[in-house]
């Protein structure tokens, strides 16, 4: 239990995901004492790992961008960490696309190499491909212009938005599909351009193109990377920064609500009745979840709350965790991820669970990416098969606590696991023979662990409305309350880190000095 009588904290951070850890560590680095509270017993949020029968899986890390030595995000992560995290490069090819019955297409970096890859496959689409690469670069830059405003006072952010209005309108306000449709009428090439939407969770027909360009394009300048030792390296290296600077980190502490002095947030109340006070509270549990679970219904800032509640949740997913024994590389496993779209269409979700064949699957083999993994004599390896899905597939059990969902849910989950395993076996028949352990996580698992409504793996959907939403500034209209993480910046681990840094900088501008790396 945090000893609230010992210290009046400069800041309390709720949630130990990447955004929460980044905010707490950044403030610690510039001289603040921070209490980081996590409701679960394992720290790290979606950077945590779990183990079964001698296998260990990284839940939310499949590959990372901008982690090359000298990259700005890498320099900031080094600053946040007590000791630097080691990262292993995954090679020039980082994703392999399987579109319908076409031959697999390997995506390589940098931009120039990927342009050549696409032109080799689609020589009659050279003009469209060149325009696509230019659009990807421009969209990437446009998204960073939006980031700047998230830690600015409202008037300054509005002025910057006005100055960049043409760029923002062209790339942020249009969907990925709208940009692609303007460039090509080749359905296979269009599917290739949109295929990596699972990296941010925004379906091509709904996502802001700038967000797609930011996330998909982030791997092109310096490739993809994986933390040596697995995703748990984040908590192992960042948490000591907080504790060594006078802060405290506590697992198993559930925040029930906020403490107010008038309209100002002055601390938190935990579910066991403790009151912990601070100059500010930073919430890393999601913007919508902060409003729904921490703020009172009679909060004076109803317009802001309504603005956030109007933003839709991101997609849900099923995750089939696989444990192998044997030579998985000889059987077809690679460091590169594999994206399967058997119907040839990329803008698809699995909506007919549990028995219909899913129209998409992404497969990742984490143990091949982690140089610290020791397969042992039995050649133990881990993989994941991810299937983007509609929340409606499990909505009927949403109000039932884990372990009390009844026989019908158990039957649903068993049938879904069989369907998804059959899909994996269809594409990797030799690898399927090496599977000795399998375990399915449904969208309800995401709710249980993250608290995100509708099992939204990436929080808020990355629509143009979300990208342009002024309500997602890190400093909220509620005095003393800040938000951090993916919703402030962008989906994924690097985006959550930026969200945490922007939140910390909104509280103390001294953090800005370190943004140049």
């Amino acid at each position: 239990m945090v000893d609230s009588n010992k210290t009046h904290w400069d800041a309390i951070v709720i949630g130990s995901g990447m955004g929460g850890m980044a905010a707490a560590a950044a403030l610690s680095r510039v001289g603040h004492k921070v209490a980081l509270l996590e409701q679960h017993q394992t720290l790290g949020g979606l950077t945590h790992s779990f183990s079964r029968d001698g296998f260990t899986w990284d839940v939310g890390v499949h590959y990372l961008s901008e982690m090359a030595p000298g990259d700005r995000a890498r320099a900031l992560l080094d600053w946040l960490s007590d000791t630097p995290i080691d990262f292993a490069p995954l090679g020039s090819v980082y994703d392999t696309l399987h579109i319908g019955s076409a031959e697999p297409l390997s995506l390589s970096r940098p931009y120039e190499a990927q342009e050549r890859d696409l032109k080799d496959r689609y020589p009659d689409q050279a003009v469209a491909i060149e325009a696509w690469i230019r659009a990807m670069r421009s969209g990437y830059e446009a998204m960073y212009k939006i980031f700047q405003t998230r830690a600015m006072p409202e008037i300054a952010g509005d002025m910057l938005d006005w100055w960049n209005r043409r760029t923002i309108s062209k790339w942020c306000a249009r969907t990925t599909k709208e940009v692609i449709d303007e460039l090509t009428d080749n359905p296979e090439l269009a599917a290739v351009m949109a295929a990596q939407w699972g990296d941010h969770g925004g379906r091509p027909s709904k996502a802001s193109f700038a967000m797609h360009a930011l996330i998909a394009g982030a791997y092109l300048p310096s490739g993809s990377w994986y933390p040596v030792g697995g995703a748990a390296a984040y908590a192992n290296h960042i948490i000591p920064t907080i504790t060594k600077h006078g802060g405290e980190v506590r697992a198993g502490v559930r925040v029930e609500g906020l403490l107010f002095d008038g309209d100002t947030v002055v601390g938190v109340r935990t579910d066991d009745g403790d009151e912990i006070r601070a100059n500010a509270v930073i919430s890393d549990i999601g913007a919508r979840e902060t409003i729904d679970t921490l703020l009172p219904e009679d909060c004076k800032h109803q317009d802001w709350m309504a603005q956030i509640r109007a933003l839709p949740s991101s997609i849900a997913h099923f995750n089939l965790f696989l444990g192998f024994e044997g030579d998985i590389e000889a059987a077809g496993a690679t460091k590169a991820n594999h994206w399967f779209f058997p119907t040839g269409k990329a803008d698809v979700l699995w909506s007919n669970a549990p028995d219909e064949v899913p129209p998409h699957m992404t497969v990742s083999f984490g143990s091949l990416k982690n140089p610290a993994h020791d397969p042992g004599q039995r050649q133990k390896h881990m993989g994941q098969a991810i299937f983007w899905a509609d929340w409606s597939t499990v909505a009927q059990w949403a109000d039932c606590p884990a372990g009390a969902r009844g026989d019908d849910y158990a039957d649903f989950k068993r049938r879904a696991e069989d369907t998804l395993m059959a899909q994996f076996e269809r594409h990797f028949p030799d690898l399927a023979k090496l599977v000795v352990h399998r375990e399915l996580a449904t969208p309800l698992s995401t709710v249980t662990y993250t608290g995100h409504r509708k099992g939204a793996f990436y929080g808020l959907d990355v629509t143009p409305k979300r990208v342009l939403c002024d309500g997602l500034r890190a400093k909220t209209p509620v005095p003393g309350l800040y938000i951090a993480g993916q919703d402030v910046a962008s989906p994924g681990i690097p985006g959550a880190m930026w969200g945490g840094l922007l939140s910390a900088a909104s509280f103390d501008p001294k953090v800005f000095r370190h943004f140049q790396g």
Side-chain angles (χ1 to χ4, degrees), residues 112-125:
E112 294 79 8
Q114 190 159 122
E115 183 175 328
R116 288 195 301 271
D117 293 340
L118 296 177
K119 286 181 176 178
D120 287 345
R121 176 62 65 89
Y122 308 101
D124 62 331
Q125 295 286 311

Side-chain angles (χ1 to χ4, degrees), residues 54 74 87 123 186 191 210 235 421:
R74 174 68 178 273
F87 288 89
N186 182 309
M421 185 63 203

Side-chain angles (χ1 to χ4, degrees), residues 59-204:
V59 174
V61 176
H62 305 101
Y63 57 172
L64 297 159
S65 60
E66 301 180 334
M67 287 295 120
D71 283 351
R72 180 167 57 166
R74 174 68 178 273
L76 283 166
L77 181 59
D78 287 348
W79 177 64
L80 295 172
S81 302
D82 180 53
T83 56
I85 301 171
D86 291 328
F87 288 89
L90 301 183
S92 59
V93 174
Y94 55 93
D95 278 328
T96 301
L97 308 182
H98 306 257
I99 309 295
S101 59
E103 287 294 312
L105 175 63
S106 295
L107 296 182
S108 57
R109 59 146 186 112
Y111 283 102
E112 294 79 8
Q114 190 159 122
E115 183 175 328
R116 288 195 301 271
D117 293 340
L118 296 177
K119 286 181 176 178
D120 287 345
R121 176 62 65 89
Y122 308 101
D124 62 331
Q125 295 286 311
V127 173
I129 291 165
E130 290 170 4
W132 172 251
I133 296 298
R134 289 195 299 272
M136 288 284 285
R137 291 179 183 271
S138 298
Y140 181 97
E141 294 170 0
M143 198 63 229
Y144 267 104
K145 295 181 188 299
I146 294 289
F147 277 6
Q148 298 174 45
T149 68
R150 294 290 162 86
M152 290 181 176
E154 185 172 356
I155 188 170
D158 289 345
M159 290 176 63
L160 189 60
D161 284 345
W162 180 86
W163 183 261
N164 295 314
R165 64 193 183 282
R166 291 183 180 177
T167 296
I168 290 171
S169 176
K170 185 173 184 178
W171 303 119
C172 301
R174 292 195 295 163
T175 67
T176 305
K177 183 179 186 299
E178 287 172 332
V179 172
I180 292 173
D181 286 350
E182 187 177 84
L183 300 179
T184 183
D185 58 3
N186 182 309
E188 187 179 307
L189 177 59
V192 167
M193 291 173 171
Q196 294 164 287
W197 69 265
D199 279 342
H200 53 75
R203 298 180 66 176

Side-chain angles (χ1 to χ4, degrees), residues 111-430:
Y111 283 102
E112 294 79 8
Q114 190 159 122
E115 183 175 328
R116 288 195 301 271
D117 293 340
L118 296 177
K119 286 181 176 178
D120 287 345
R121 176 62 65 89
Y122 308 101
D124 62 331
Q125 295 286 311
V127 173
I129 291 165
E130 290 170 4
W132 172 251
I133 296 298
R134 289 195 299 272
M136 288 284 285
R137 291 179 183 271
S138 298
Y140 181 97
E141 294 170 0
M143 198 63 229
Y144 267 104
K145 295 181 188 299
I146 294 289
F147 277 6
Q148 298 174 45
T149 68
R150 294 290 162 86
M152 290 181 176
E154 185 172 356
I155 188 170
D158 289 345
M159 290 176 63
L160 189 60
D161 284 345
W162 180 86
W163 183 261
N164 295 314
R165 64 193 183 282
R166 291 183 180 177
T167 296
I168 290 171
S169 176
K170 185 173 184 178
W171 303 119
C172 301
R174 292 195 295 163
T175 67
T176 305
K177 183 179 186 299
E178 287 172 332
V179 172
I180 292 173
D181 286 350
E182 187 177 84
L183 300 179
T184 183
D185 58 3
N186 182 309
E188 187 179 307
L189 177 59
V192 167
M193 291 173 171
Q196 294 164 287
W197 69 265
D199 279 342
H200 53 75
R203 298 180 66 176
S205 58
K206 297 181 178 181
S208 165
F209 170 73
M211 190 69 83
H212 182 79
L214 174 74
I215 304 298
Y219 300 99
L220 293 171
S222 55
S224 63
W225 301 76
Y226 204 79
V228 176
Y234 282 98
N236 292 340
H237 287 255
I238 296 175
I239 294 301
T241 300
I242 303 164
T243 56
K244 289 183 178 181
H245 287 80
E248 290 192 41
V249 178
R250 290 289 182 268
V253 178
R254 185 178 184 88
V255 173
E256 185 178 71
L258 301 176
L259 301 177
F260 287 85
D261 183 358
D263 190 37
T264 301
V265 174
V266 294
V268 302
R269 180 182 295 104
T270 67
D271 62 356
D272 59 6
D274 284 341
E275 294 187 352
I276 310 169
R277 296 185 177 271
N279 296 334
V281 172
I282 298 173
S283 174
D284 186 45
I285 66 173
R288 175 66 183 266
E289 290 71 23
T290 298
I291 288 171
D292 289 348
T293 65
L294 298 181
L295 288 176
E297 282 300 323
D298 62 352
C299 177
K300 297 179 181 179
H301 303 279
Q302 292 296 318
D303 289 347
W304 171 68
M305 295 168 69
Q307 189 178 15
I308 301 300
R309 284 174 169 155
L311 300 174
S313 298
S314 184
I315 45 98
H317 77 298
F318 290 76
N319 198 334
L320 185 60
F321 296 97
L322 301 171
F324 305 93
E325 287 186 356
D327 188 347
I328 65 170
E329 290 186 274
T334 64
K335 289 182 181 179
N337 303 312
H338 293 264
W339 301 71
F340 293 91
F341 297 93
T343 67
K345 297 179 180 179
D347 194 348
V348 289
L349 291 179
W350 192 34
S351 57
N352 297 316
D355 300 314
E356 295 295 322
V357 175
H360 159 264
M361 175 176 71
T362 298
V363 178
S364 176
F365 302 97
S367 57
L368 291 182
K369 303 174 185 184
N370 179 9
H373 173 68
D374 180 8
Q377 292 183 347
R378 296 170 67 177
Q379 294 183 282
K380 285 180 173 285
H381 283 279
M382 289 72 74
Q384 298 179 43
I386 300 167
F387 306 83
W388 303 117
D390 192 89
W391 169 248
S392 63
T393 56
V394 297
Q396 69 186 87
W397 298 287
D399 295 329
C400 303
R405 294 175 181 138
D407 293 341
D408 57 340
Y409 177 71
D411 179 64
F412 169 90
K413 191 173 179 181
R414 177 189 57 76
R415 288 158 57 197
E417 184 176 315
D418 289 344
T419 298
L420 301 181
M421 185 63 203
Q423 180 79 326
F424 179 84
E425 185 174 7
R426 191 173 297 117
H427 294 288
F428 292 104
D430 293 334

